[in-house]
Amino acid sequence: QVQLMESGGGSVEAGGSLRLSCAASGVSSRWTCMAWFRQSPGKEREGVAVVYAGVDLKTYAASVKGRFSVSQDSATSTMYLQMNTLKPEDGAMYYCAQAPGGACALHPWSEAQYKYWGQGTQVTVSS
C-alpha cells in the first residue's frame, strides 16, 4: 500500500519561496509517476508538476514553468517542489499523487492514472 505525506506548506508574501515535500512509502518500483496537483476553493484541481521517476522526465504546467522545480530523492523516496517567485494565485492546497507505470509521460495531467494521493498541504501567498 502506497502512502504519501506532504509537508512544507505555509504562508508567504508574493515573491517569496517555499519548498514542499512528499514522503512516499510502499512504492516498490522506480517506474512510477509522481505529481503535484493543487486546488483552490471554487476551482478545479489542476496539475502543477510531474516527474516520471524512471527516467527523471519532468513536466510543468505553463503557469508555473520557470518558477517551480520538481525533484526527487530516490534514497529517501521523497519528492520536492521548489516554488519560487510565488504569486497570490499560487495559493492553494497542494497534493502529491502517485501513479504506477509511465502514462504520465504522454498524459501528465490525467488524474485517472493517479491511484494514490496525499492529504495535502496548504500554501497561502499574500500580496
Side-chain angles (χ1 to χ4, degrees):
Q1 179 76 8
V2 173
Q3 292 186 322
L4 305 172
M5 181 168 293
E6 305 93 336
S7 61
S11 296
V12 64
E13 292 186 351
S17 298
L18 281 174
R19 188 176 81 156
L20 305 183
S21 300
C22 173
S25 61
V27 178
S28 59
S29 171
R30 67 191 183 103
W31 302 106
T32 63
C33 292
M34 297 292 295
W36 288 100
F37 285 79
R38 67 185 182 187
Q39 188 169 25
S40 300
K43 295 186 178 180
E44 292 188 357
R45 188 162 54 192
E46 62 175 351
V48 176
V50 175
V51 55
Y52 179 24
V55 294
D56 201 32
L57 176 65
K58 300 172 183 178
T59 306
Y60 297 94
S63 58
V64 306
K65 202 168 187 179
R67 300 187 297 120
F68 290 14
S69 177
V70 63
S71 61
Q72 53 178 336
D73 183 339
S74 58
T76 61
S77 298
T78 302
M79 176 178 63
Y80 300 98
L81 184 68
Q82 178 66 44
M83 306 186 295
N84 298 326
T85 320
L86 282 161
K87 304 176 181 180
E89 53 264 40
D90 293 319
M93 185 70 81
Y94 282 72
Y95 300 91
C96 67
Q98 189 265 351
C104 65
L106 293 177
H107 308 288
W109 314 127
S110 173
E111 293 191 25
Q113 67 185 304
Y114 294 99
K115 187 175 181 181
Y116 301 100
W117 294 80
Q119 83 290 347
T121 186
Q122 181 69 44
V123 172
T124 303
V125 184
S126 59
S127 57

